[in-house]
Short mmCIF file of all heavy atoms in Angstrom, two decimals:
data_model
loop_
_atom_site.label_atom_id
_atom_site.label_comp_id
_atom_site.label_asym_id
_atom_site.label_seq_id
_atom_site.Cartn_x
_atom_site.Cartn_y
_atom_site.Cartn_z
N MET A 1 -8.13 12.07 -14.33
CA MET A 1 -7.37 11.20 -13.40
C MET A 1 -7.57 11.61 -11.96
O MET A 1 -7.66 12.90 -11.69
CB MET A 1 -5.87 11.34 -13.77
CG MET A 1 -5.52 10.30 -14.92
SD MET A 1 -5.62 8.63 -14.49
CE MET A 1 -5.18 7.78 -15.99
N SER A 2 -7.71 10.66 -11.21
CA SER A 2 -7.83 10.90 -9.74
C SER A 2 -6.56 11.48 -9.09
O SER A 2 -5.41 10.98 -9.44
CB SER A 2 -8.17 9.69 -9.04
OG SER A 2 -8.24 9.85 -7.69
N LYS A 3 -6.71 12.45 -8.37
CA LYS A 3 -5.66 13.02 -7.58
C LYS A 3 -5.47 12.50 -6.11
O LYS A 3 -4.73 12.91 -5.42
CB LYS A 3 -5.70 14.41 -7.63
CG LYS A 3 -5.43 15.23 -8.89
CD LYS A 3 -3.87 15.44 -9.03
CE LYS A 3 -3.60 16.29 -10.26
NZ LYS A 3 -3.73 15.49 -11.60
N LYS A 4 -6.26 11.45 -5.98
CA LYS A 4 -6.37 10.93 -4.67
C LYS A 4 -5.07 10.29 -4.17
O LYS A 4 -4.26 9.82 -5.06
CB LYS A 4 -7.37 9.89 -4.49
CG LYS A 4 -7.77 9.46 -3.25
CD LYS A 4 -9.13 8.62 -3.25
CE LYS A 4 -9.40 8.15 -1.78
NZ LYS A 4 -10.66 7.44 -1.89
N ARG A 5 -4.78 10.41 -2.85
CA ARG A 5 -3.56 9.84 -2.38
C ARG A 5 -3.86 8.79 -1.46
O ARG A 5 -4.79 8.99 -0.66
CB ARG A 5 -2.71 10.98 -1.68
CG ARG A 5 -2.17 12.04 -2.46
CD ARG A 5 -0.87 11.62 -3.10
NE ARG A 5 -0.53 12.53 -4.23
CZ ARG A 5 0.67 12.40 -4.92
NH1 ARG A 5 1.43 11.46 -4.54
NH2 ARG A 5 0.83 13.21 -5.92
N TYR A 6 -3.13 7.75 -1.50
CA TYR A 6 -3.23 6.57 -0.73
C TYR A 6 -2.10 6.42 0.34
O TYR A 6 -1.02 6.38 0.00
CB TYR A 6 -3.52 5.19 -1.51
CG TYR A 6 -4.61 5.24 -2.49
CD1 TYR A 6 -4.56 5.92 -3.76
CD2 TYR A 6 -5.84 4.80 -2.05
CE1 TYR A 6 -5.61 5.80 -4.56
CE2 TYR A 6 -6.90 4.93 -2.87
CZ TYR A 6 -6.82 5.43 -4.15
OH TYR A 6 -7.98 5.52 -4.88
N ARG A 7 -2.67 6.23 1.54
CA ARG A 7 -1.68 6.04 2.65
C ARG A 7 -1.60 4.65 2.97
O ARG A 7 -2.52 4.00 3.43
CB ARG A 7 -1.99 6.87 3.79
CG ARG A 7 -1.80 8.35 3.61
CD ARG A 7 -2.70 9.07 4.71
NE ARG A 7 -2.35 8.75 6.12
CZ ARG A 7 -1.37 9.30 6.78
NH1 ARG A 7 -0.74 10.31 6.21
NH2 ARG A 7 -1.03 8.84 7.94
N ILE A 8 -0.37 4.03 2.84
CA ILE A 8 -0.11 2.82 3.32
C ILE A 8 0.49 2.77 4.77
O ILE A 8 1.74 3.22 4.74
CB ILE A 8 0.67 1.92 2.38
CG1 ILE A 8 0.19 1.98 0.93
CG2 ILE A 8 1.02 0.51 2.90
CD1 ILE A 8 0.97 1.49 -0.17
N GLU A 9 -0.21 2.22 5.69
CA GLU A 9 0.54 2.26 7.02
C GLU A 9 0.88 0.94 7.30
O GLU A 9 0.22 -0.02 7.20
CB GLU A 9 -0.63 2.79 7.93
CG GLU A 9 -1.02 4.12 7.55
CD GLU A 9 -1.50 5.00 8.74
OE1 GLU A 9 -1.02 4.78 9.87
OE2 GLU A 9 -2.20 5.95 8.49
N SER A 10 2.08 0.75 7.74
CA SER A 10 2.58 -0.58 8.21
C SER A 10 3.61 -0.46 9.36
O SER A 10 4.27 0.47 9.55
CB SER A 10 3.22 -1.20 6.98
OG SER A 10 4.15 -0.27 6.46
N GLY A 11 3.73 -1.66 9.98
CA GLY A 11 4.56 -1.78 11.02
C GLY A 11 5.55 -2.96 10.72
O GLY A 11 4.96 -3.95 10.30
N CYS A 12 6.77 -2.74 10.98
CA CYS A 12 7.80 -3.79 10.61
C CYS A 12 7.72 -4.94 11.58
O CYS A 12 7.85 -4.68 12.76
CB CYS A 12 9.15 -3.20 10.45
SG CYS A 12 10.39 -4.40 10.20
N PRO A 13 7.54 -6.09 11.16
CA PRO A 13 7.51 -7.22 12.01
C PRO A 13 8.96 -7.63 12.65
O PRO A 13 9.03 -8.25 13.72
CB PRO A 13 7.01 -8.44 11.38
CG PRO A 13 7.38 -8.01 9.89
CD PRO A 13 7.27 -6.60 9.75
N GLN A 14 10.02 -7.02 12.06
CA GLN A 14 11.32 -7.37 12.49
C GLN A 14 11.82 -6.39 13.57
O GLN A 14 12.17 -6.77 14.63
CB GLN A 14 12.27 -7.45 11.22
CG GLN A 14 13.59 -7.89 11.67
CD GLN A 14 14.33 -8.52 10.45
OE1 GLN A 14 13.91 -9.44 9.82
NE2 GLN A 14 15.42 -7.90 10.15
N CYS A 15 11.82 -5.11 13.29
CA CYS A 15 12.33 -4.07 14.11
C CYS A 15 11.19 -3.24 14.87
O CYS A 15 11.52 -2.57 15.73
CB CYS A 15 13.35 -3.17 13.36
SG CYS A 15 12.60 -2.08 12.20
N GLY A 16 9.98 -3.50 14.39
CA GLY A 16 8.91 -2.84 15.16
C GLY A 16 8.71 -1.32 14.83
O GLY A 16 7.74 -0.85 15.29
N CYS A 17 9.34 -0.80 13.89
CA CYS A 17 9.17 0.49 13.54
C CYS A 17 7.82 0.63 12.66
O CYS A 17 7.55 -0.33 12.02
CB CYS A 17 10.28 1.18 12.83
SG CYS A 17 10.56 0.55 11.13
N THR A 18 7.24 1.81 12.75
CA THR A 18 6.04 1.96 11.80
C THR A 18 6.52 3.15 10.81
O THR A 18 7.24 4.01 11.15
CB THR A 18 4.82 2.42 12.65
OG1 THR A 18 5.33 3.62 13.29
CG2 THR A 18 4.55 1.33 13.61
N PHE A 19 5.80 2.89 9.72
CA PHE A 19 6.09 3.92 8.56
C PHE A 19 4.86 4.05 7.67
O PHE A 19 4.09 3.13 7.60
CB PHE A 19 7.36 3.63 7.84
CG PHE A 19 7.29 2.20 7.17
CD1 PHE A 19 6.91 1.93 5.89
CD2 PHE A 19 7.89 1.20 7.99
CE1 PHE A 19 7.00 0.72 5.37
CE2 PHE A 19 7.89 -0.15 7.46
CZ PHE A 19 7.37 -0.40 6.25
N THR A 20 4.81 5.14 7.03
CA THR A 20 3.61 5.44 6.09
C THR A 20 4.29 5.69 4.88
O THR A 20 5.19 6.47 4.63
CB THR A 20 2.84 6.57 6.74
OG1 THR A 20 2.47 6.29 7.94
CG2 THR A 20 1.61 6.87 5.86
N THR A 21 3.57 5.06 3.77
CA THR A 21 3.94 5.43 2.40
C THR A 21 2.70 6.00 1.69
O THR A 21 1.61 5.53 1.91
CB THR A 21 4.39 4.10 1.65
OG1 THR A 21 5.29 3.38 2.46
CG2 THR A 21 4.88 4.40 0.24
N VAL A 22 2.97 7.07 1.03
CA VAL A 22 1.88 7.79 0.34
C VAL A 22 2.08 7.72 -1.18
O VAL A 22 3.17 8.08 -1.69
CB VAL A 22 1.91 9.36 0.76
CG1 VAL A 22 0.64 9.97 0.05
CG2 VAL A 22 1.66 9.35 2.31
N LEU A 23 1.18 7.06 -1.72
CA LEU A 23 1.30 6.95 -3.29
C LEU A 23 0.03 7.43 -3.95
O LEU A 23 -1.12 7.48 -3.43
CB LEU A 23 1.36 5.30 -3.63
CG LEU A 23 2.69 4.74 -3.08
CD1 LEU A 23 2.57 3.25 -3.38
CD2 LEU A 23 3.93 5.24 -3.70
N SER A 24 0.19 7.94 -5.16
CA SER A 24 -0.90 8.29 -6.04
C SER A 24 -1.68 7.10 -6.56
O SER A 24 -0.97 5.91 -6.49
CB SER A 24 -0.50 9.17 -7.22
OG SER A 24 0.19 8.34 -8.11
N HIS A 25 -2.84 7.32 -7.19
CA HIS A 25 -3.60 6.27 -7.67
C HIS A 25 -2.71 5.44 -8.64
O HIS A 25 -2.71 4.24 -8.74
CB HIS A 25 -4.88 6.79 -8.31
CG HIS A 25 -5.84 5.69 -8.76
ND1 HIS A 25 -6.80 5.27 -7.89
CD2 HIS A 25 -5.94 5.00 -9.92
CE1 HIS A 25 -7.54 4.41 -8.61
NE2 HIS A 25 -7.10 4.19 -9.79
N GLU A 26 -2.10 6.33 -9.59
CA GLU A 26 -1.31 5.56 -10.68
C GLU A 26 -0.30 4.80 -10.06
O GLU A 26 0.14 3.72 -10.64
CB GLU A 26 -0.75 6.65 -11.55
CG GLU A 26 -1.61 7.37 -12.49
CD GLU A 26 -2.43 8.50 -11.71
OE1 GLU A 26 -1.95 9.12 -10.77
OE2 GLU A 26 -3.70 8.65 -11.83
N GLU A 27 0.46 5.24 -8.99
CA GLU A 27 1.60 4.48 -8.42
C GLU A 27 1.01 3.27 -7.74
O GLU A 27 1.68 2.24 -7.80
CB GLU A 27 2.38 5.36 -7.41
CG GLU A 27 3.22 6.56 -8.07
CD GLU A 27 3.59 7.54 -7.09
OE1 GLU A 27 2.91 7.71 -6.09
OE2 GLU A 27 4.68 8.12 -7.37
N MET A 28 -0.07 3.33 -7.17
CA MET A 28 -0.67 2.08 -6.52
C MET A 28 -0.94 1.09 -7.69
O MET A 28 -0.78 -0.19 -7.48
CB MET A 28 -1.90 2.46 -5.87
CG MET A 28 -1.82 3.20 -4.53
SD MET A 28 -0.89 2.37 -3.27
CE MET A 28 -1.92 1.11 -2.83
N LEU A 29 -1.58 1.60 -8.75
CA LEU A 29 -1.79 0.67 -9.85
C LEU A 29 -0.61 -0.03 -10.40
O LEU A 29 -0.58 -1.23 -10.62
CB LEU A 29 -2.50 1.37 -10.97
CG LEU A 29 -3.97 1.42 -10.98
CD1 LEU A 29 -4.52 2.06 -12.27
CD2 LEU A 29 -4.76 0.00 -10.87
N GLU A 30 0.40 0.78 -10.57
CA GLU A 30 1.70 0.35 -11.12
C GLU A 30 2.47 -0.64 -10.18
O GLU A 30 2.90 -1.78 -10.54
CB GLU A 30 2.60 1.41 -11.36
CG GLU A 30 3.57 1.39 -12.44
CD GLU A 30 4.29 2.60 -12.79
OE1 GLU A 30 3.62 3.42 -13.53
OE2 GLU A 30 5.43 2.74 -12.34
N LYS A 31 2.48 -0.37 -8.96
CA LYS A 31 3.18 -1.03 -7.98
C LYS A 31 2.37 -2.41 -7.54
O LYS A 31 2.89 -3.48 -7.32
CB LYS A 31 3.52 -0.30 -6.65
CG LYS A 31 4.62 0.61 -6.86
CD LYS A 31 5.01 1.22 -5.59
CE LYS A 31 5.93 0.40 -4.69
NZ LYS A 31 7.02 1.14 -4.09
N TYR A 32 1.03 -2.32 -7.24
CA TYR A 32 0.27 -3.33 -6.55
C TYR A 32 -0.82 -3.80 -7.50
O TYR A 32 -1.05 -5.00 -7.54
CB TYR A 32 -0.19 -2.82 -5.31
CG TYR A 32 0.90 -2.43 -4.41
CD1 TYR A 32 0.98 -0.97 -3.88
CD2 TYR A 32 1.89 -3.24 -4.02
CE1 TYR A 32 2.02 -0.67 -3.05
CE2 TYR A 32 2.99 -2.90 -3.11
CZ TYR A 32 2.94 -1.56 -2.73
OH TYR A 32 3.85 -1.13 -1.82
N GLY A 33 -1.65 -2.90 -8.09
CA GLY A 33 -2.75 -3.37 -8.82
C GLY A 33 -3.86 -3.84 -7.80
O GLY A 33 -3.80 -3.61 -6.62
N ASP A 34 -4.77 -4.71 -8.31
CA ASP A 34 -5.74 -5.30 -7.44
C ASP A 34 -5.30 -6.59 -6.85
O ASP A 34 -5.45 -7.65 -7.51
CB ASP A 34 -6.94 -5.49 -8.31
CG ASP A 34 -8.18 -6.11 -7.61
OD1 ASP A 34 -7.91 -6.17 -6.21
OD2 ASP A 34 -9.09 -6.47 -8.01
N VAL A 35 -4.58 -6.44 -5.77
CA VAL A 35 -4.00 -7.60 -5.11
C VAL A 35 -4.53 -7.71 -3.66
O VAL A 35 -4.75 -6.74 -3.07
CB VAL A 35 -2.42 -7.63 -5.08
CG1 VAL A 35 -1.86 -7.73 -6.55
CG2 VAL A 35 -1.81 -6.24 -4.43
N PRO A 36 -4.63 -8.97 -3.19
CA PRO A 36 -5.08 -9.21 -1.81
C PRO A 36 -4.07 -8.81 -0.67
O PRO A 36 -4.38 -8.46 0.34
CB PRO A 36 -5.52 -10.65 -1.71
CG PRO A 36 -4.67 -11.33 -2.86
CD PRO A 36 -4.46 -10.36 -3.87
N ASN A 37 -2.74 -9.02 -1.17
CA ASN A 37 -1.71 -8.62 -0.17
C ASN A 37 -0.72 -7.74 -0.97
O ASN A 37 -0.45 -7.92 -2.10
CB ASN A 37 -0.93 -9.90 0.19
CG ASN A 37 -1.80 -10.90 0.85
OD1 ASN A 37 -2.38 -10.62 1.99
ND2 ASN A 37 -2.19 -12.09 0.38
N ILE A 38 -0.05 -6.84 -0.19
CA ILE A 38 0.98 -5.97 -0.73
C ILE A 38 2.24 -6.23 -0.14
O ILE A 38 2.34 -6.51 0.99
CB ILE A 38 0.61 -4.42 -0.75
CG1 ILE A 38 0.35 -4.02 0.64
CG2 ILE A 38 -0.65 -4.25 -1.57
CD1 ILE A 38 -0.10 -2.64 0.70
N ASP A 39 3.36 -6.17 -0.93
CA ASP A 39 4.70 -6.36 -0.42
C ASP A 39 5.25 -5.05 0.03
O ASP A 39 5.18 -4.08 -0.54
CB ASP A 39 5.59 -7.03 -1.48
CG ASP A 39 5.07 -8.40 -1.88
OD1 ASP A 39 4.52 -9.04 -0.95
OD2 ASP A 39 5.19 -8.70 -3.13
N LEU A 40 5.85 -5.07 1.21
CA LEU A 40 6.35 -3.85 1.79
C LEU A 40 7.85 -4.16 2.23
O LEU A 40 8.28 -5.14 2.46
CB LEU A 40 5.57 -3.46 3.04
CG LEU A 40 4.05 -2.99 2.72
CD1 LEU A 40 3.26 -3.01 3.93
CD2 LEU A 40 4.14 -1.66 2.00
N GLU A 41 8.58 -3.06 2.22
CA GLU A 41 9.92 -3.05 2.67
C GLU A 41 10.11 -1.98 3.78
O GLU A 41 9.84 -0.92 3.70
CB GLU A 41 10.94 -2.87 1.57
CG GLU A 41 12.38 -3.14 1.85
CD GLU A 41 13.24 -3.14 0.62
OE1 GLU A 41 13.03 -3.80 -0.36
OE2 GLU A 41 14.15 -2.21 0.65
N CYS A 42 10.81 -2.46 4.88
CA CYS A 42 11.15 -1.71 6.02
C CYS A 42 12.17 -0.58 5.66
O CYS A 42 13.22 -1.04 5.04
CB CYS A 42 11.28 -2.39 7.25
SG CYS A 42 11.81 -1.48 8.53
N GLY A 43 11.92 0.49 5.87
CA GLY A 43 13.00 1.64 5.57
C GLY A 43 14.12 1.57 6.61
O GLY A 43 15.21 2.15 6.40
N GLU A 44 13.88 0.96 7.72
CA GLU A 44 14.91 0.93 8.74
C GLU A 44 15.85 -0.24 8.58
O GLU A 44 17.13 -0.14 8.54
CB GLU A 44 14.25 0.89 10.20
CG GLU A 44 13.64 2.18 10.45
CD GLU A 44 14.53 3.36 10.66
OE1 GLU A 44 15.61 3.16 11.29
OE2 GLU A 44 14.11 4.45 10.32
N CYS A 45 15.29 -1.40 8.61
CA CYS A 45 16.20 -2.60 8.63
C CYS A 45 15.99 -3.42 7.32
O CYS A 45 16.62 -4.40 7.17
CB CYS A 45 15.71 -3.56 9.74
SG CYS A 45 14.10 -4.37 9.48
N MET A 46 15.31 -2.84 6.31
CA MET A 46 15.16 -3.31 5.00
C MET A 46 14.51 -4.77 4.91
O MET A 46 14.60 -5.46 3.86
CB MET A 46 16.47 -3.42 4.22
CG MET A 46 17.24 -2.19 4.25
SD MET A 46 16.44 -0.70 3.65
CE MET A 46 16.41 -0.98 1.95
N ALA A 47 13.86 -5.20 5.97
CA ALA A 47 13.07 -6.47 5.99
C ALA A 47 12.02 -6.26 5.03
O ALA A 47 11.33 -5.28 5.00
CB ALA A 47 12.57 -6.66 7.42
N LYS A 48 11.77 -7.47 4.30
CA LYS A 48 10.65 -7.49 3.29
C LYS A 48 9.47 -8.26 4.05
O LYS A 48 9.76 -9.38 4.56
CB LYS A 48 11.01 -8.13 2.03
CG LYS A 48 11.91 -7.23 1.13
CD LYS A 48 12.06 -7.84 -0.13
CE LYS A 48 12.80 -6.99 -1.12
NZ LYS A 48 14.01 -6.58 -0.84
N PHE A 49 8.29 -7.80 3.94
CA PHE A 49 7.17 -8.56 4.40
C PHE A 49 5.98 -8.27 3.69
O PHE A 49 5.91 -7.35 2.99
CB PHE A 49 6.94 -8.23 5.94
CG PHE A 49 6.81 -6.82 6.21
CD1 PHE A 49 5.58 -6.22 6.44
CD2 PHE A 49 7.92 -5.91 6.44
CE1 PHE A 49 5.35 -4.85 6.64
CE2 PHE A 49 7.84 -4.58 6.60
CZ PHE A 49 6.53 -4.05 6.84
N THR A 50 4.88 -8.96 3.94
CA THR A 50 3.61 -8.88 3.24
C THR A 50 2.49 -8.50 4.11
O THR A 50 2.54 -9.05 5.22
CB THR A 50 3.28 -10.19 2.50
OG1 THR A 50 4.43 -10.56 1.60
CG2 THR A 50 2.19 -10.10 1.59
N LYS A 51 1.67 -7.64 3.73
CA LYS A 51 0.52 -7.30 4.60
C LYS A 51 -0.77 -7.35 3.67
O LYS A 51 -0.71 -7.00 2.53
CB LYS A 51 0.77 -5.93 5.12
CG LYS A 51 -0.16 -5.53 6.36
CD LYS A 51 0.32 -4.33 7.07
CE LYS A 51 -0.71 -4.10 8.21
NZ LYS A 51 -0.37 -2.93 9.03
N LYS A 52 -1.82 -7.57 4.39
CA LYS A 52 -3.22 -7.70 3.66
C LYS A 52 -3.42 -6.26 3.23
O LYS A 52 -3.24 -5.32 3.95
CB LYS A 52 -4.21 -8.04 4.66
CG LYS A 52 -4.35 -9.57 4.72
CD LYS A 52 -5.59 -10.01 5.51
CE LYS A 52 -5.78 -11.48 5.53
NZ LYS A 52 -6.95 -11.86 6.50
N THR A 53 -3.85 -6.07 2.02
CA THR A 53 -4.18 -4.81 1.36
C THR A 53 -5.25 -4.03 2.31
O THR A 53 -5.18 -2.88 2.58
CB THR A 53 -4.67 -4.99 -0.05
OG1 THR A 53 -3.80 -5.65 -0.73
CG2 THR A 53 -4.80 -3.56 -0.66
N GLU A 54 -6.12 -4.71 2.72
CA GLU A 54 -7.28 -4.17 3.37
C GLU A 54 -6.82 -3.57 4.76
O GLU A 54 -7.40 -2.67 5.37
CB GLU A 54 -8.44 -4.88 3.48
CG GLU A 54 -8.21 -6.23 4.19
CD GLU A 54 -9.47 -7.25 3.97
OE1 GLU A 54 -10.02 -7.24 2.93
OE2 GLU A 54 -9.57 -8.02 4.85
N GLU A 55 -5.79 -4.25 5.30
CA GLU A 55 -5.32 -3.71 6.47
C GLU A 55 -4.32 -2.44 6.39
O GLU A 55 -4.19 -1.66 7.05
CB GLU A 55 -4.41 -4.93 7.27
CG GLU A 55 -5.32 -5.83 7.96
CD GLU A 55 -4.63 -7.02 8.57
OE1 GLU A 55 -3.46 -6.92 8.74
OE2 GLU A 55 -5.27 -8.04 8.78
N ALA A 56 -3.31 -2.71 5.28
CA ALA A 56 -2.34 -1.72 5.10
C ALA A 56 -2.97 -0.37 4.59
O ALA A 56 -2.64 0.69 4.87
CB ALA A 56 -1.29 -2.27 4.21
N CYS A 57 -3.95 -0.64 3.70
CA CYS A 57 -4.59 0.64 2.99
C CYS A 57 -5.97 0.25 2.56
O CYS A 57 -6.28 -0.19 1.43
CB CYS A 57 -3.81 0.93 1.71
SG CYS A 57 -4.25 2.48 1.00
N PRO A 58 -6.88 0.40 3.56
CA PRO A 58 -8.31 -0.11 3.35
C PRO A 58 -8.90 0.79 2.08
O PRO A 58 -9.72 0.21 1.33
CB PRO A 58 -9.08 0.50 4.68
CG PRO A 58 -7.92 0.52 5.61
CD PRO A 58 -6.65 0.88 4.90
N GLU A 59 -8.54 2.01 1.81
CA GLU A 59 -8.93 2.74 0.80
C GLU A 59 -8.68 2.22 -0.51
O GLU A 59 -9.55 2.06 -1.49
CB GLU A 59 -8.51 4.27 0.84
CG GLU A 59 -9.06 5.09 1.90
CD GLU A 59 -8.62 6.53 1.67
OE1 GLU A 59 -7.36 6.72 1.56
OE2 GLU A 59 -9.39 7.44 1.77
N TRP A 60 -7.38 1.74 -0.66
CA TRP A 60 -7.09 1.07 -1.85
C TRP A 60 -7.79 -0.23 -2.05
O TRP A 60 -8.22 -0.59 -3.24
CB TRP A 60 -5.55 0.96 -1.93
CG TRP A 60 -5.17 0.25 -3.21
CD1 TRP A 60 -4.63 -1.01 -3.36
CD2 TRP A 60 -5.17 0.77 -4.55
NE1 TRP A 60 -4.46 -1.26 -4.65
CE2 TRP A 60 -4.79 -0.19 -5.46
CE3 TRP A 60 -5.63 2.01 -5.05
CZ2 TRP A 60 -4.57 0.04 -6.77
CZ3 TRP A 60 -5.55 2.27 -6.37
CH2 TRP A 60 -5.06 1.23 -7.31
N ALA A 61 -7.89 -0.94 -1.10
CA ALA A 61 -8.53 -2.18 -1.13
C ALA A 61 -10.00 -2.06 -1.77
O ALA A 61 -10.51 -2.84 -2.46
CB ALA A 61 -8.60 -3.04 0.18
N THR A 62 -10.68 -0.96 -1.39
CA THR A 62 -11.96 -0.62 -1.93
C THR A 62 -11.84 -0.01 -3.31
O THR A 62 -12.62 -0.62 -4.27
CB THR A 62 -12.70 0.39 -1.11
OG1 THR A 62 -12.70 -0.04 0.28
CG2 THR A 62 -14.14 0.70 -1.49
N ASP A 63 -11.07 0.91 -3.57
CA ASP A 63 -10.96 1.64 -4.71
C ASP A 63 -10.60 0.84 -5.93
O ASP A 63 -10.92 1.02 -7.12
CB ASP A 63 -10.17 2.95 -4.72
CG ASP A 63 -10.87 3.97 -3.92
OD1 ASP A 63 -12.00 3.71 -3.30
OD2 ASP A 63 -10.33 5.17 -3.84
N CYS A 64 -9.51 -0.16 -5.72
CA CYS A 64 -9.06 -0.85 -6.74
C CYS A 64 -10.05 -1.81 -7.37
O CYS A 64 -9.97 -2.25 -8.50
CB CYS A 64 -7.76 -1.60 -6.34
SG CYS A 64 -7.96 -3.05 -5.18
N LYS A 65 -10.94 -2.21 -6.41
CA LYS A 65 -12.00 -2.97 -6.99
C LYS A 65 -13.08 -2.29 -7.84
O LYS A 65 -13.67 -2.82 -8.83
CB LYS A 65 -12.68 -3.78 -5.87
CG LYS A 65 -11.83 -4.80 -5.19
CD LYS A 65 -12.42 -5.63 -4.21
CE LYS A 65 -11.63 -6.78 -3.61
NZ LYS A 65 -10.27 -6.27 -3.22
N LEU A 66 -13.27 -0.99 -7.46
CA LEU A 66 -14.16 -0.21 -8.30
C LEU A 66 -13.63 0.06 -9.79
O LEU A 66 -14.26 0.27 -10.46
CB LEU A 66 -14.31 1.19 -7.55
CG LEU A 66 -14.94 1.02 -6.17
CD1 LEU A 66 -14.99 2.56 -5.57
CD2 LEU A 66 -16.38 0.51 -6.22
N GLU A 67 -12.27 0.02 -9.82
CA GLU A 67 -11.64 0.38 -11.08
C GLU A 67 -11.83 -0.67 -12.08
O GLU A 67 -11.79 -0.53 -13.26
CB GLU A 67 -10.15 0.49 -10.85
CG GLU A 67 -9.82 1.91 -10.30
CD GLU A 67 -9.90 3.06 -11.26
OE1 GLU A 67 -9.55 3.05 -12.38
OE2 GLU A 67 -10.76 4.03 -10.85
N THR A 68 -11.80 -1.92 -11.52
CA THR A 68 -11.88 -3.07 -12.51
C THR A 68 -13.19 -3.59 -12.84
O THR A 68 -14.17 -3.27 -12.14
CB THR A 68 -10.91 -4.18 -11.95
OG1 THR A 68 -11.30 -4.53 -10.70
CG2 THR A 68 -9.38 -3.73 -12.07
ZN1 LIG B 1 12.20 -2.94 10.15
#
């Protein structure tokens, strides 16, 4: 199993804060899988928004396609 960690970097469109989420390969598969966009939730204002996978986490956008 891969021990690689994926960093999802995002900026909230509502309050402007930026945050980073770090997930393992398994967690990425479980939460998102091979999707073009990922849903994120701001930890500050709890706004929900969507970001392109390749922008939020380019590594995952590449690796998830290698998996399938
Ligand atoms: Zn926010």
Side-chain angles (χ1 to χ4, degrees):
M1 273 294 176
S2 172
K3 286 274 189 285
K4 191 169 179 178
R5 295 273 162 177
Y6 296 89
R7 291 161 55 90
I8 302 170
E9 305 210 23
S10 49
C12 175
Q14 188 158 298
C15 70
C17 71
T18 56
F19 52 95
T20 303
T21 310
V22 181
L23 295 173
S24 69
H25 189 94
E26 292 76 38
E27 288 168 329
M28 288 297 291
L29 267 184
E30 205 170 282
K31 281 186 83 135
Y32 303 116
D34 182 8
V35 290
N37 300 294
I38 57 179
D39 295 322
L40 296 162
E41 188 176 298
C42 175
E44 291 293 320
C45 70
M46 308 309 281
K48 287 189 169 67
F49 56 99
T50 303
K51 197 167 176 179
K52 278 187 176 172
T53 307
E54 56 193 31
E55 283 176 19
C57 188
E59 282 190 312
W60 179 249
T62 304
D63 286 5
C64 70
K65 289 183 175 57
L66 299 176
E67 283 293 305
T68 51

